[in-house]
Amino acid sequence: VLPFPSQVVYNRVGKCGSRTVVLLLRILSEKHGFNLVTSDIHNKTRLTKNEQMELIKNISTAEQPYLFTRHVHFLNFSRFGGDQPVYINIIRDPVSRFLSNYFFRRFGDWRGEQNHMIRTPNMRQEERYLDINVCILENYPECSNPRLFYIIPYFCGQHPRCREPGEWALERAKLNVNENFLLVGILEELEDVLLLLERFLPHYFKDVLNIYKNPEHRKLGNLTVTVKKTVPSPEAIQILYQRMRYEYEFYYYVKEQFHLLKRKFGLKSHIRKPSPRPEFFIPSPLETEEPINDEEEDDEKWLEDIYKR
């Protein structure tokens, strides 16, 4: 019996640094001897009941310890009689994620411009070069709901209502974060995410920060940066904020939880200039300054409780 979970699932959210993390996992799996199980399916996040059962069966029979990664909305293993694995994930500012995806679909990244042609071979030239402001201000489908409701379903799950922008999906996503995810990090603070993963899951992530900071790895990681990104007008960004209000409420909730976790383990957050956002959102996210001295709960006990969920 391993002292830490032998089943970990990283149901990675698109354009939230997951390709960088997967590059690290490939190195770490060879270094630490765990089974990295990846999927060639990148565009099917919503599954039928039978597809869920089949995928859970395939994952559960993988050689342990394993870390499974795929772009897929949260799967409830226990619903189908399986052991619920430990979940991890990373999200980022919703507008930043959307813009990264918008230009990546059109122009790829520094690994080669041919990549985006493979991903979107049927995209017409006028669509490929569609100005981002026109897309947003003239309410094109790609720049309006429900397509902008993207991050929350990864945590809400496979229920049809998880794809409907609203309070129900938002609250269910928050509940799953609390009950089923060991860690949901923020891409803007990736080094701290990696530090905590190394602390919580050393069998998988020991030395991850050293590898990440290695110049050779940084050079490789830079190739995954999306090219030809432009910034929309302030008016267009304000409209995006309005359309993504549930995404932002979830993002700031996760960010606050992440900062509380950092404080618990003595990590300071560097205050950055906050991105502009309308006042109708929730109050400013919690900024972490000093570590908390919490003597009432032992750190390792806290981890054990998480693993038992």
Side-chain angles (χ1 to χ4, degrees), residues 98-134:
F98 164 74
L99 294 176
S100 180
N101 185 65
Y102 184 89
F103 292 105
F104 178 72
R105 289 184 68 241
R106 285 160 170 76
F107 307 115
D109 54 33
W110 289 108
R111 293 177 299 175
E113 289 225 11
Q114 291 73 27
N115 289 338
H116 67 278
M117 295 294 186
I118 296 170
R119 286 185 179 84
T120 54
N122 299 320
M123 185 180 283
R124 302 187 308 275
Q125 284 298 92
E126 59 266 30
E127 183 183 357
R128 192 174 301 281
Y129 291 96
L130 175 65
D131 183 89
I132 184 68
N133 291 299
V134 172

Side-chain angles (χ1 to χ4, degrees), residues 91-210:
I91 65 174
R92 74 192 284 189
D93 178 275
V95 166
S96 295
R97 194 219 68 81
F98 164 74
L99 294 176
S100 180
N101 185 65
Y102 184 89
F103 292 105
F104 178 72
R105 289 184 68 241
R106 285 160 170 76
F107 307 115
D109 54 33
W110 289 108
R111 293 177 299 175
E113 289 225 11
Q114 291 73 27
N115 289 338
H116 67 278
M117 295 294 186
I118 296 170
R119 286 185 179 84
T120 54
N122 299 320
M123 185 180 283
R124 302 187 308 275
Q125 284 298 92
E126 59 266 30
E127 183 183 357
R128 192 174 301 281
Y129 291 96
L130 175 65
D131 183 89
I132 184 68
N133 291 299
V134 172
C135 185
I136 297 167
L137 297 175
E138 297 187 12
N139 207 24
Y140 278 66
E142 186 177 358
C143 299
S144 59
N145 279 318
R147 294 196 189 177
L148 294 179
F149 193 69
Y150 184 86
I151 297 173
I152 286 175
Y154 275 87
F155 299 87
C156 178
Q158 297 289 336
H159 194 285
R161 289 187 69 184
C162 288
R163 304 192 286 274
E164 300 172 5
E167 291 288 338
W168 189 90
L170 169 65
E171 293 305 318
R172 182 159 171 157
K174 289 180 181 178
L175 184 66
N176 274 333
V177 166
N178 293 335
E179 293 188 349
N180 292 295
F181 283 79
L182 173 66
L183 177 69
V184 182
I186 301 296
L187 181 62
E188 293 85 354
E189 302 172 32
L190 181 58
E191 289 194 9
D192 287 344
V193 177
L194 298 178
L195 271 172
L196 288 177
L197 285 171
E198 185 170 354
R199 172 69 184 270
F200 297 165
L201 298 169
H203 287 74
Y204 301 86
F205 288 96
K206 184 176 170 56
D207 295 327
V208 65
L209 200 55
N210 289 333

Side-chain angles (χ1 to χ4, degrees), residues 229-253:
K229 278 197 287 189
T230 59
V231 179
S233 68
E235 180 188 3
I237 288 179
Q238 188 76 4
I239 289 173
L240 280 182
Y241 275 128
Q242 294 277 354
R243 293 174 183 170
M244 303 172 84
R245 65 185 310 263
Y246 293 110
E247 293 276 275
Y248 269 97
E249 188 169 339
F250 181 72
Y251 171 73
Y252 286 123
Y253 175 80

Side-chain angles (χ1 to χ4, degrees), residues 44 46-58 70 75 79-80 158:
K44 190 172 178 58
R46 309 163 184 173
L47 310 176
T48 66
K49 184 178 179 180
N50 286 337
E51 287 171 337
Q52 291 178 57
M53 292 174 64
E54 187 66 24
L55 180 57
I56 287 172
K57 179 183 175 183
N58 290 339
R70 172 178 163 175
L75 293 162
R79 180 187 172 200
F80 300 102
Q158 297 289 336

